[in-house]
Each structure stands twice: as C-alpha cells, then as structure tokens.
Amino acid sequence: MTTYDRGDLVRLTATFTVSGVVTDPAAVTLYLRAPDGTLSTLTYAGGAITKVSTGVYRYDYNASATGDVSYRWAGTAPAQAADQSTFFVKDDVGV
C-alpha cells in the first residue's frame, strides 16, 4: 500500500482503453472514501475531475486527514471499466 504524509496533494489518475486504444468513456466517476468513512462521488461532468487527454483523467486529493483512503474510478461505454485502490495517509511527527 502506498503511503503519503498528511498535507500531501495526491494525484489520482485513470486511463480508459478499448482494445488497447485510449478512449473517452461517456461518463467518468470517482468514488472516494476518506479516512473518517465519508464517501464522495465526483464526476467529470461536475467539474471535480480534470481531463488530461483522450481517455486520461485525474483528481488531486488533499491528504488532510490520517488513515486509509479508498477510491474507485468508473467509466461507462464505450470505455466501460472500473479500478480501485487504497492508500494510507500518515500523521506528521510533530516537527
């Protein structure tokens, strides 16, 4: 599991492909569960997600709380796919 420091800006990226060709989904959604258990649903159409290029999307997460952060990218046809992962945000050492 990847670990970040509290206060880091964590760039989450998704690339959608169809038969090896980078392709835009009709809709892109990012589900994000913060360390306190709060679930956020972010969409490209809603402006929270940035399109980098065809089929490539990103979201910058402000790691302001310590604990596990889980996220799941989902795209709809023509590039229907989903992928999920978790990372850990550790507290600073009080320096």
Side-chain angles (χ1 to χ4, degrees):
M1 179 183 312
T2 305
T3 300
Y4 295 95
D5 293 319
R6 188 166 53 92
D8 282 350
L9 191 63
V10 181
R11 178 155 288 172
L12 307 177
T13 305
T15 302
F16 296 90
T17 61
V18 174
S19 300
V21 177
V22 182
T23 305
D24 284 328
V28 176
T29 305
L30 174 62
Y31 302 94
L32 191 83
R33 185 168 308 279
D36 68 359
T38 303
L39 179 64
S40 300
T41 302
L42 310 165
T43 64
Y44 172 63
I49 297 170
T50 301
K51 181 177 178 179
V52 177
S53 60
T54 300
V56 181
Y57 297 83
R58 77 164 192 247
Y59 176 75
D60 291 331
Y61 175 77
N62 179 10
S64 60
T66 60
D68 290 332
V69 177
S70 298
Y71 63 96
R72 180 178 189 267
W73 287 100
T76 60
Q80 182 172 337
D83 187 43
Q84 61 187 34
S85 190
T86 300
F87 60 88
F88 182 75
V89 178
K90 66 180 180 171
D91 205 356
D92 59 31
V93 293
V95 177

